[in-house]
Amino acid sequence: MVKVTYVAADGTRTTVDAAPGSNVMQTALDNDVDGIVGECGGAMMCATCHCYVDDDWTEKTGERHDGEDDMLDCAADEVKETSRLSCQIKLTEDMDGLIVHLPEEQA
Amino acid sequence: MQNVVIIGAGQGGLQAAMSLRQEGFEGAITLIGAEKGLPYQRPPLSKAYLKTGDADALSLRPASFFEKKQITLVDGTHVEAIDRAARRVMAGDRSFDYDHLILATGTRNLRPPIPGAEQALDLRTLDDALRLRNALDRPMRCAVIGGGFIGLEFAAVARALGHEVTLAEAAPRLMARAVSPETSERFLALHRDMGSDIHLGDPVCAVRADGITLKSGTEIQADLVLMAAGVVPNSELAASAGLAVDNGVVVDTRMLTEDPAISALGDCAVFPDPVTGRAVRLESVQAATDHARLIAKRLVKQVDDPYGAVPWFWSDQADCKLQIAGLAAEGDDTILRPDGAVFRFAGDRLSAVETVNDAKTHMQTRKRLAQGPVARAALEAAEFDMAQV
């Protein structure tokens, strides 16, 4: 298991255990973390699982996937350099301790 | 308003419950679903799930969510009647009182009156998908009835898994209801290249124990027959309660039926298209969830805005992600951009854009259509660059 911490727009931190192989969006939904919607179920058809990867973790989570940029263009909140669709961040063992920040708005 | 009852625990019904809480509704929410278990996503059933069998990935919200948000989920329960005078719904020996009722009953698979049709499998529920997956545990000859999204998505997965696939479509082209002739052609080529045997304009007239028979007389041998001939809205409950039904539950621009205490959403609702005013019924996650948000806003915040979301659809077939932004009618004009994007026009107005593996154009179109109509002349002047109109 790996630990993932979600930091809500108001600063609330929620840390949950996740299975490697799952993604950051599904992990949030499975653990009742508010602030991630994931409307399309990870099909990269919406931008309602937008997150900002903590600066210390951007190397581990890697580059945006093909098409992710285009979807992020339609995100409800500000898109930063660290913006990702959380459904596209697949958890691996070396992401234990990952921190992502959530935007105020998703839809 | 104290009690909201939602009939139908699919993605739209669940979204209505979630949006009610998000908007600040503090009364009771009862979500009644016909299937057993927690609400789940249907779109992956004909895509990722068929390949992976990972049912956990279909989960929309865990059981703890319903407790935390105080949403009472009544699963495995068929509602039999609505008593509009008493504002009560009846399900077996139980009844549920409502101040507002939301119909999110969705659709069911169409079973055309073909001899032997009962032998064909469906692909609509998780149970259906599980049954199909189990049947595909060894090399099979699959016959698919219907060349719409579901039939084609299944065909693509089955071929990729090494099964033989024959698909029969009654119409002269694939996905005829949803896409332009150009996109139909493109996907026909894709499936034929994958090795699927596609029969067009040749309706199935019998399902046999060992395959299907087409109207032309062609006999196709198969071990497994999938019925993917479209759906019918579950509107009987509304009809027997005296509500207007015409290819679905009829609602106004606010998703409200003629009874001010009953709304309807998603696949079962027929509503005025915000652009043309035409009565439409959409089968999509987007419409279901956007309807749900609108209804929740109206009920909680008394916001009376008309529904105006831009429709969008997608289908994954092999390595092709088809995306549609907007809503075209059959017979709309078509202009093919050199890179393959298809622009559709109702007269001078852009009605929809169909793209394959081109999320940029798709999202540009969704954004732009949300701002208002796009004229054909403007697009032509911009050489069909959506970012420039």
Side-chain angles (χ1 to χ4, degrees):
Chain A
M1 294 301 250
V2 295
K3 289 209 184 302
V4 182
T5 298
Y6 298 86
V7 185
D10 67 1
T12 312
R13 297 169 81 90
T14 312
T15 301
V16 303
D17 288 319
S22 182
N23 63 59
V24 174
M25 180 273 290
Q26 193 64 42
T27 299
L29 299 192
D30 291 347
N31 289 283
D32 252 353
V33 177
D34 280 336
I36 287 197
V37 176
E39 176 159 300
C40 76
M44 266 227 281
M45 280 301 299
C46 69
T48 62
C49 67
H50 180 197
C51 73
Y52 308 109
V53 176
D54 192 87
D55 290 337
D56 293 343
W57 288 92
T58 50
E59 218 163 286
K60 288 263 165 58
T61 53
E63 303 276 304
R64 289 178 193 161
H65 292 184
D66 274 354
E68 210 177 317
D69 278 318
D70 303 320
M71 304 312 288
L72 279 168
D73 273 349
C74 284
D77 223 315
E78 187 198 351
V79 177
K80 305 177 190 169
E81 233 171 87
T82 55
S83 284
R84 292 291 307 269
L85 293 180
S86 57
C87 68
Q88 299 300 310
I89 305 175
K90 198 171 172 183
L91 290 165
T92 54
E93 296 284 0
D94 65 349
M95 289 186 202
D96 190 17
L98 174 67
I99 299 170
V100 297
H101 302 263
L102 304 180
E104 209 158 314
E105 270 189 289
Q106 290 286 13
Chain B
M1 193 178 64
Q2 287 306 311
N3 289 301
V4 176
V5 172
I6 303 165
I7 306 177
Q11 199 160 350
L14 174 63
Q15 184 65 52
M18 295 196 299
S19 294
L20 282 165
R21 286 290 181 245
Q22 273 159 16
E23 297 292 344
F25 178 62
E26 290 178 347
I29 300 176
T30 307
L31 181 61
I32 308 175
E35 287 178 64
K36 285 292 260 182
L38 295 170
Y40 61 90
Q41 304 170 47
R42 286 188 205 285
L45 292 179
S46 50
K47 307 179 183 87
Y49 175 80
L50 269 189
K51 284 185 221 158
T52 64
D54 182 5
D56 289 342
L58 302 174
S59 151
L60 282 162
R61 291 294 182 276
S64 57
F65 175 86
F66 294 86
E67 274 169 48
K68 196 166 99 182
K69 301 285 181 191
Q70 294 187 297
I71 296 165
T72 306
L73 176 67
V74 182
D75 67 341
T77 300
H78 278 278
V79 171
E80 282 133 17
I82 303 166
D83 182 341
R84 285 169 54 193
R87 294 198 176 171
R88 182 176 297 150
V89 301
M90 270 72 72
D93 52 4
R94 302 180 70 178
S95 67
F96 305 88
D97 290 336
Y98 65 82
D99 299 309
H100 199 87
L101 177 66
I102 300 174
L103 300 173
T105 49
T107 58
R108 62 179 178 275
N109 277 7
L110 174 69
R111 305 293 295 193
I114 301 170
E118 68 285 350
Q119 301 172 66
L121 296 175
D122 284 310
L123 178 45
R124 168 147 198 88
T125 65
L126 179 54
D127 283 348
D128 293 336
L130 185 61
R131 207 170 295 129
L132 267 177
R133 257 188 71 75
N134 289 340
L136 293 174
D137 63 345
R138 63 204 147 80
M140 297 285 266
R141 295 168 303 171
C142 306
V144 181
I145 303 174
F149 284 9
I150 302 287
L152 291 170
E153 286 172 5
F154 172 81
V157 173
R159 273 307 294 153
L161 294 173
H163 303 286
E164 279 180 43
V165 175
T166 305
L167 183 146
E169 166 57 49
R173 62 184 179 92
L174 297 174
M175 304 181 282
R177 235 169 16 108
V179 302
S180 62
E182 285 74 5
T183 299
S184 295
E185 273 303 312
R186 182 169 178 168
F187 278 84
L188 178 63
L190 168 78
H191 285 274
R192 286 191 168 151
D193 284 348
M194 290 181 81
S196 289
D197 182 18
I198 312 272
H199 298 255
L200 296 174
D202 202 354
V204 176
C205 61
V207 179
R208 314 180 314 265
D210 62 347
I212 55 175
T213 305
L214 308 185
K215 195 169 170 228
S216 61
T218 305
E219 293 209 344
I220 290 152
Q221 301 297 313
D223 313 303
L224 178 157
V225 180
L226 175 69
M227 182 68 79
V231 296
V232 282
N234 292 322
S235 51
E236 289 77 4
L237 199 55
S240 54
L243 295 170
V245 164
D246 183 7
N247 178 39
V249 184
V250 177
V251 294
D252 65 13
T253 55
R254 300 165 300 163
M255 306 308 295
L256 196 59
T257 68
E258 65 211 89
D259 182 334
I262 305 179
S263 301
L265 64 78
D267 292 19
C268 74
V270 173
F271 64 99
D273 176 53
V275 178
T276 62
R278 198 171 74 221
V280 291
R281 190 175 64 74
L282 301 181
E283 294 157 11
S284 77
V285 165
Q286 171 272 322
T289 51
D290 281 336
H291 288 165
R293 291 189 188 98
L294 182 96
I295 292 169
K297 269 210 179 82
R298 166 163 53 76
L299 294 179
V300 183
K301 299 266 173 72
Q302 282 79 46
V303 174
D304 235 3
D305 292 345
Y307 181 75
V310 175
W312 52 263
F313 309 86
W314 87 97
S315 175
D316 291 327
Q317 298 173 36
D319 54 358
C320 289
K321 184 193 269 293
L322 167 66
Q323 298 181 302
I324 305 165
L327 185 65
E330 258 181 286
D332 277 9
D333 257 4
T334 299
I335 288 182
L336 187 62
R337 201 168 66 178
D339 68 351
V342 175
F343 289 71
R344 307 199 69 191
F345 293 93
D348 183 45
R349 178 184 58 80
L350 178 73
S351 55
V353 176
E354 300 159 8
T355 51
V356 176
N357 299 337
D358 179 4
K360 185 176 230 60
T361 302
H362 174 72
M363 292 309 280
Q364 283 172 343
T365 309
R366 269 161 63 176
K367 256 177 149 170
R368 181 57 190 82
L369 286 177
Q371 294 163 15
V374 179
R376 182 170 181 153
L379 260 174
E380 282 169 350
E383 295 181 337
F384 293 90
D385 181 351
M386 275 315 296
Q388 304 300 322
V389 289

